[in-house]
Amino acid sequence: MRIDQRVYTLDNLASIEIQPRFDTIKHYNRQTSLSIGANLENFTTEEAQTKIKQVMENVHFPNGYDYSLRGGFERQDEDQSVMATNMLLAVAMIYIVMAALFESLLLPTAIITSILFSITGVFWALFITGTPMSVMAMIGILILMGIVVNNGIVLVDQINQMTPDLDKLSDTIREVCITRLRPVLMTVGTTVLGLVPLAMGETQIGGGGPPYSPMAIAIIGGLSFSTVTSLYLVPLCYQAFYRMRHRAAIRLGESNRLAQKLLPWTV
């Protein structure tokens, strides 16, 4: 640089430092953002999310700064929301089919209770094995819904075909449960034993995707627990709803007879 016929070097006029800079500036929700990515090898997405939150809770950000989990974490939350919606739709479709089969809106509720019992068994199985709730486990619950209702449908349909009287309802239910005990145990036993290798293995989708074991564990736990409860609690629920329908029919008949007495000209 030439000033007043004199030559000056740049380091005599300024301090020169080499600083790294971003080649692009990213924005998220109209705010400048910085994305940090990592590959998970020995951690699942749920475990990584838990550990990241534990670390970030101890970090004090300046005013205007914050963090959020995106990428795979965000997609997983969206997948879980979609699976929850699919479960509700599955329960609704199962109820509609059973209502058309039994021609009743009350009796299918007894079979729907077996789904609740099976979901309870899923959470116990995941808790005992230390498996976190994931999308694969939710897929197992969705598959489980279509399996556990089969025993309840066959049980209730066989009771309805016998058309028992109200005073003989308990004996009829007991006989049907004893008759169905062996087929139910054989079906459940073969299904559970067939899923044990998958539950104990480390097979993953595409070789590097999520493992199949949570799905198998969910099906095994829910099916085993619902089998024990469906042979005892589902018949009790069915008996309670059957008595409710019988009492409602009696009250409706009495109200119709009373209406005919008050209005004898009605047909």
Side-chain angles (χ1 to χ4, degrees), residues 17-81:
E17 295 180 359
I18 299 176
Q19 296 288 342
R21 66 179 182 85
F22 295 108
D23 55 352
T24 58
I25 299 178
K26 298 181 180 180
H27 291 83
Y28 178 71
N29 289 338
R30 297 182 179 180
Q31 294 181 349
T32 304
S33 63
L34 174 64
S35 300
I36 301 176
N39 295 324
L40 301 178
E41 295 182 357
N42 299 324
F43 293 96
T44 63
T45 306
E46 294 80 9
E47 294 174 349
Q49 185 174 2
T50 302
K51 292 183 180 297
I52 291 174
K53 288 183 177 180
Q54 291 176 353
V55 173
M56 299 306 292
E57 287 177 356
N58 299 322
V59 177
H60 300 284
F61 292 97
N63 294 331
Y65 289 83
D66 199 359
Y67 82 98
S68 62
L69 298 178
R70 299 177 58 199
F73 302 109
E74 190 175 19
R75 289 192 298 271
Q76 183 178 11
D77 294 337
E78 293 176 355
D79 293 340
Q80 290 180 352
S81 300

Side-chain angles (χ1 to χ4, degrees), residues 244-263 266:
M244 290 174 57
R245 189 181 70 169
H246 184 73
R247 286 194 293 266
I250 294 176
R251 292 177 182 177
L252 182 60
E254 292 177 353
S255 61
N256 290 335
R257 287 193 295 269
L258 181 61
Q260 291 178 358
K261 290 180 181 180
L262 296 178
L263 302 173
T266 59

Side-chain angles (χ1 to χ4, degrees), residues 104-153:
S104 173
L105 296 176
L106 188 61
L107 296 182
T109 309
I111 304 176
I112 292 295
T113 57
S114 63
I115 297 179
L116 301 178
F117 300 146
S118 66
I119 294 178
T120 304
V122 169
F123 285 106
W124 275 109
L126 295 177
F127 175 75
I128 293 173
T129 58
T131 304
M133 176 61 70
S134 61
V135 176
M136 294 303 296
M138 298 180 74
I139 293 175
I141 296 176
L142 190 62
I143 298 174
L144 189 64
M145 290 180 180
I147 299 176
V148 297
V149 296
N150 292 336
N151 296 329
I153 290 175

Side-chain angles (χ1 to χ4, degrees), residues 120-190:
T120 304
V122 169
F123 285 106
W124 275 109
L126 295 177
F127 175 75
I128 293 173
T129 58
T131 304
M133 176 61 70
S134 61
V135 176
M136 294 303 296
M138 298 180 74
I139 293 175
I141 296 176
L142 190 62
I143 298 174
L144 189 64
M145 290 180 180
I147 299 176
V148 297
V149 296
N150 292 336
N151 296 329
I153 290 175
V154 174
L155 186 68
V156 173
D157 184 63
Q158 189 170 352
I159 296 173
N160 285 338
Q161 290 179 0
M162 299 178 69
T163 60
D165 297 330
L166 190 61
D167 54 345
K168 297 181 180 180
L169 180 61
S170 299
D171 296 334
T172 303
I173 292 176
R174 188 181 303 108
E175 293 176 1
V176 172
C177 290
I178 294 174
T179 303
R180 295 295 306 170
L181 178 60
R182 184 178 179 182
V184 168
L185 293 180
M186 291 178 62
T187 304
V188 173
T190 54

